[in-house]
Amino acid sequence: MNIIRNPKDVLSGLLFIFLAGLLGLQAWDLPLGTAVRMGPGYFPLVLAALLGLLGLIVLVNGLRFDGDMPSGIAWRAVVILTFSVVFFGFAVRPLGFLPALGITVFVSALASRKFHIVTALANTAVMVVFAWAVFIKGLGLPLPLLGPWLGGY
């Protein structure tokens, strides 16, 4: 009798649990504090516990439902998403926060096999407006909207 019915979920759950353990060990060395007066290790430890719980749920789900064997790695998506994150890191100063984020989100959409230009542009617009509202207006972070390459600063 085959206990593993969805190997993709089982592997994902195990990966989440492993990462939660790794992050929990890193956060454990930091002072935790209390719920009222949180130390620098409190929030990362709570996030690690939530990730571990999510991993357990995904793992159990993989043992319950039917599925197929995991296929190969989606190299196209891995390369495009890695490039997007590295691009954002290098472009945020010269281009500014909003253009760098917009290009990053749009290029990240290329990683999907179901890429559609209208959906990608809509996602880009929504994410740029959302990030502006949260990080610039809501949190008041001093991020330049346009960088020196685009006439900002």
Side-chain angles (χ1 to χ4, degrees):
M1 180 173 159
N2 189 5
I3 273 185
I4 299 175
R5 296 195 176 135
N6 190 341
K8 289 181 183 180
D9 283 350
V10 171
L11 291 175
S12 297
L14 290 173
L15 178 65
F16 287 171
I17 292 169
F18 172 76
L19 289 174
L22 187 65
L23 295 173
L25 285 175
Q26 295 293 318
W28 195 259
D29 291 339
L30 299 171
L32 295 177
T34 64
V36 174
R37 196 160 178 85
M38 293 182 220
Y42 189 89
F43 190 64
L45 191 61
V46 169
L47 286 180
L50 289 173
L51 181 63
L53 178 65
L54 177 66
L56 185 62
I57 291 169
V58 171
L59 175 69
V60 169
N61 192 33
L63 297 174
R64 284 189 0 199
F65 297 111
D66 288 332
D68 52 347
M69 291 296 291
S71 58
I73 296 173
W75 289 109
R76 177 176 177 243
V78 169
V79 169
I80 290 174
L81 292 176
T82 303
F83 169 77
S84 294
V85 172
V86 171
F87 170 80
F88 181 80
F90 281 112
V92 72
R93 282 193 182 217
L95 291 178
F97 178 63
L98 296 181
L101 180 65
I103 294 169
T104 300
V105 172
F106 184 80
V107 171
S108 296
L110 294 170
S112 173
R113 293 184 190 266
K114 299 177 181 178
F115 174 80
H116 192 281
I117 186 115
V118 174
T119 306
L121 290 172
N123 283 340
T124 301
V126 168
M127 286 302 297
V128 167
V129 170
F130 177 77
W132 171 79
V134 170
F135 295 112
I136 306 299
K137 289 297 179 188
L139 296 174
L141 296 180
L143 298 170
L145 298 181
L146 295 176
W149 288 5
L150 300 175
Y153 281 86

